[in-house]
Amino acid sequence: MSQIGWVNFGRQEAEAVQALIGALTDSNARDELGLGTIRDGFSDLLFPGTSTVQTRLRYFVLLPGLFQKVVAKGGDAATALREVETQLIEDFLAKPDLDLKGLIGSEAKGALKRMPSAVYWSGLGAWQIRLPEWRRATPVEVIEAMRQGRTCWAEFSGKAGDGFALSPDERDWVIEKIAALASVQGGTLLGHLVQRGKNNEHTAPDLRALPGSIDPGPRIAEQLSQALDFSQLKVPGMGKPYFHAHFPKQSKDQLWRPGPYVRLAVISPFCDAAGLKRLGSKGPERLVACDDWLAKLGDQRPKLCQVLNSNLLPEADDENIPDPEARSGLHAKLFIRESGDRTYVTLGSGNATGAGLNGTNVEVFVTLSGKSGSVVLVPRSDELENRQVRRQRSRAGCGDRALPRSPYVDLSEPLGQQYDTAAHRPDGALPRAL
């Protein structure tokens, strides 16, 4: 049997390993690149009700029956539900002859943090096993409604299976529920695939070959095409992404750096002199950050700076924790550099600070590049409208202080404001050039 380990040469090496393990085992996972939201959106469009944490299909059949047991049990709804689900785990474990692969809670049992009802709740609603009028209800709300005699679940009257093995009646019932998705709200890819399987129609085994073997309609075909492009992280006008991660104790040549550039623009809520130094001797030509951090830069502040709106706050770091209700504002980090005829856009978790760029923190970056003429930063429609209004009012000699502003930044023609060192506030308009 093979084993993996490491040799502890000294205290420094041990601390480096512990820091790396601690970072990788942090229970508070963060989607620094914002890709998880897009991925989940495509999943909900194409395969609603499914999730990578789901293990066995029969949970979709078992859970409505468990809620009936909770109603009969009485007492606090949440507590009773946990007790009934814990009993299900123990009942399965007491039958070692059953196929228990995929049993949720086989090790944690009653200490399990996320019970099967939580894992499958969204799917039960999406597949209309939980009736549509209860689609957005919580488990406790459903239990309370059932105690009042209200019907919350689709009826199943066939023969039950054993363990995680679906009976023929259960299989047909689940297939009917999923296949119905082909006609609900314009249909879903999952519904079309199950419907074809039900009709014994052939489908391509690979998602990329599906458009040539089935015709789910133009809307689903477009969703699938966009999802496949996203799976390869294809961005119009840009090539394949380059990922980089750096860890504490790495050598300087292993840390992320922007590379050579003619011009550099940086968006980072936090910044300091040590971080800007690590971006190269020339430094950024434009910097978007929080006003208090810009103030700390003093003479090292870039010539052109933009600040956040006064009513916005950056997301908290270890030393700056605002009120939870005020945790909105700029969290994005973006480094845009021009070199030759190409533009490189890097986004990730690291701020333009010494801690963010010198290897003190574990940081992840992804860089996209393309021909400068093909890389377009598109402003929102409301910003375009505001810009046109500002131009008209400027020509008429009017100010624009009454117009709403947002943290959106168009680097080709900034809507931001110049940083006033003395007053620590925006004052006047920035020049157009970058």
Side-chain angles (χ1 to χ4, degrees), residues 58 83 119 141 153 200 217 291 315 370:
R58 192 161 187 256
E83 291 174 351
V119 173
E141 289 172 340
W153 303 97
N200 295 317
D291 56 357
E315 186 164 314

Side-chain angles (χ1 to χ4, degrees), residues 3-27:
Q3 293 183 332
I4 298 176
W6 64 84
V7 178
N8 184 359
F9 290 104
R11 180 177 179 180
Q12 184 176 4
E13 288 78 7
E15 290 177 350
V17 171
Q18 290 295 336
L20 176 58
I21 292 176
L24 295 177
T25 56
D26 185 358
S27 59

Side-chain angles (χ1 to χ4, degrees), residues 398-432:
C398 301
D400 64 356
R401 296 186 181 278
L403 290 174
R405 292 188 181 273
S406 80
Y408 166 78
V409 177
D410 177 4
L411 295 176
S412 64
E413 186 177 357
L415 294 173
Q417 302 161 312
Q418 194 167 19
Y419 183 79
D420 182 348
T421 304
H424 294 268
R425 69 174 190 273
D427 187 10
L430 278 173
R432 290 187 176 186

Side-chain angles (χ1 to χ4, degrees), residues 46-47 189 193 196 202-214 216 224-225 227-229 231-232:
L46 299 171
F47 300 97
L189 182 59
L193 293 176
R196 290 181 66 87
H202 172 73
T203 56
D206 187 279
L207 282 177
R208 293 190 177 278
L210 276 180
S213 63
I214 67 172
L224 177 59
S225 175
L228 292 172
D229 283 346
S231 70
Q232 302 297 318

Side-chain angles (χ1 to χ4, degrees), residues 4 38 53 58 76-77 93 102 115 123 128 144 188 232 254 299 308-309 346 351 357 386:
I4 298 176
I38 304 174
V53 295
R58 192 161 187 256
D76 179 73
L93 291 175
M115 287 290 184
Q128 296 191 7
E144 296 297 342
T188 67
Q232 302 297 318
Q254 293 177 306
D299 295 339
L308 292 177
N309 294 355
T346 298
N351 280 289
L357 300 179
N386 281 346

Side-chain angles (χ1 to χ4, degrees), residues 329-358:
L330 186 63
H331 175 66
K333 296 90 176 177
L334 199 66
F335 303 84
I336 306 173
R337 66 183 176 98
E338 292 183 358
S339 180
D341 63 347
R342 298 188 68 80
T343 296
Y344 298 81
V345 179
T346 298
L347 61 156
S349 61
N351 280 289
T353 61
L357 300 179
N358 68 3

Side-chain angles (χ1 to χ4, degrees), residues 91-378:
D91 290 345
F92 272 142
L93 291 175
K95 301 177 180 179
D97 54 317
L98 296 178
D99 176 14
L100 300 180
K101 183 179 180 181
L103 173 63
I104 298 176
S106 59
E107 296 183 4
K109 301 181 180 66
L112 184 66
K113 291 185 177 180
R114 194 178 185 194
M115 287 290 184
S117 60
V119 173
Y120 288 84
W121 192 249
S122 175
L124 290 166
W127 294 3
Q128 296 191 7
I129 293 174
R130 187 171 69 254
L131 296 180
E133 55 265 38
W134 302 102
R135 174 76 182 269
R136 300 188 182 278
T138 66
V140 170
E141 289 172 340
V142 168
I143 293 170
E144 296 297 342
M146 293 173 67
R147 286 174 173 173
Q148 297 172 15
R150 305 179 69 176
T151 302
C152 300
W153 303 97
E155 182 179 357
F156 170 73
S157 57
K159 182 179 179 181
D162 192 17
F164 284 124
L166 288 166
S167 70
D169 290 340
E170 290 175 334
R171 180 198 61 202
D172 293 342
W173 185 72
V174 172
I175 288 175
E176 288 290 341
K177 291 297 178 184
I178 304 175
L181 297 175
S183 58
V184 176
Q185 296 180 351
T188 67
L189 182 59
L190 176 63
H192 278 279
L193 293 176
V194 172
Q195 182 66 55
R196 290 181 66 87
K198 178 184 175 185
N199 298 335
N200 295 317
E201 298 179 68
H202 172 73
T203 56
D206 187 279
L207 282 177
R208 293 190 177 278
L210 276 180
S213 63
I214 67 172
D215 182 19
R219 185 179 65 86
I220 297 177
E222 178 64 19
Q223 291 172 354
L224 177 59
S225 175
Q226 293 175 357
L228 292 172
D229 283 346
F230 174 74
S231 70
Q232 302 297 318
L233 275 180
K234 291 183 178 179
V235 179
M238 295 188 177
K240 291 184 177 181
Y242 170 75
F243 288 88
H244 187 101
H246 64 223
F247 307 92
K249 310 300 181 181
Q250 276 186 319
S251 60
K252 291 183 179 180
D253 61 341
Q254 293 177 306
L255 301 176
W256 176 83
R257 292 293 180 265
Y261 56 84
V262 176
R263 294 189 295 178
L264 175 69
V266 175
I267 299 175
S268 175
F270 310 123
C271 57
D272 59 28
L276 298 185
K277 182 178 180 181
R278 284 164 176 78
L279 296 176
S281 57
K282 187 175 181 180
E285 188 172 323
R286 183 180 303 284
L287 175 62
V288 181
C290 304
D291 56 357
D292 54 340
W293 286 74
L294 287 173
K296 296 176 184 178
L297 290 177
D299 295 339
Q300 299 184 62
R301 192 167 51 249
K303 182 178 180 180
L304 298 180
C305 297
Q306 290 176 260
V307 299
L308 292 177
N309 294 355
S310 59
N311 63 328
L312 294 177
L313 291 173
E315 186 164 314
D317 65 0
D318 293 338
E319 299 179 355
N320 179 23
I321 305 178
D323 183 87
E325 295 185 359
R327 286 195 62 181
S328 62
L330 186 63
H331 175 66
K333 296 90 176 177
L334 199 66
F335 303 84
I336 306 173
R337 66 183 176 98
E338 292 183 358
S339 180
D341 63 347
R342 298 188 68 80
T343 296
Y344 298 81
V345 179
T346 298
L347 61 156
S349 61
N351 280 289
T353 61
L357 300 179
N358 68 3
T360 301
N361 301 333
V362 177
E363 308 286 4
V364 179
F365 302 89
V366 59
T367 299
L368 298 163
S369 65
K371 292 281 187 179
S372 295
S374 302
V375 177
V376 180
L377 300 179
V378 182

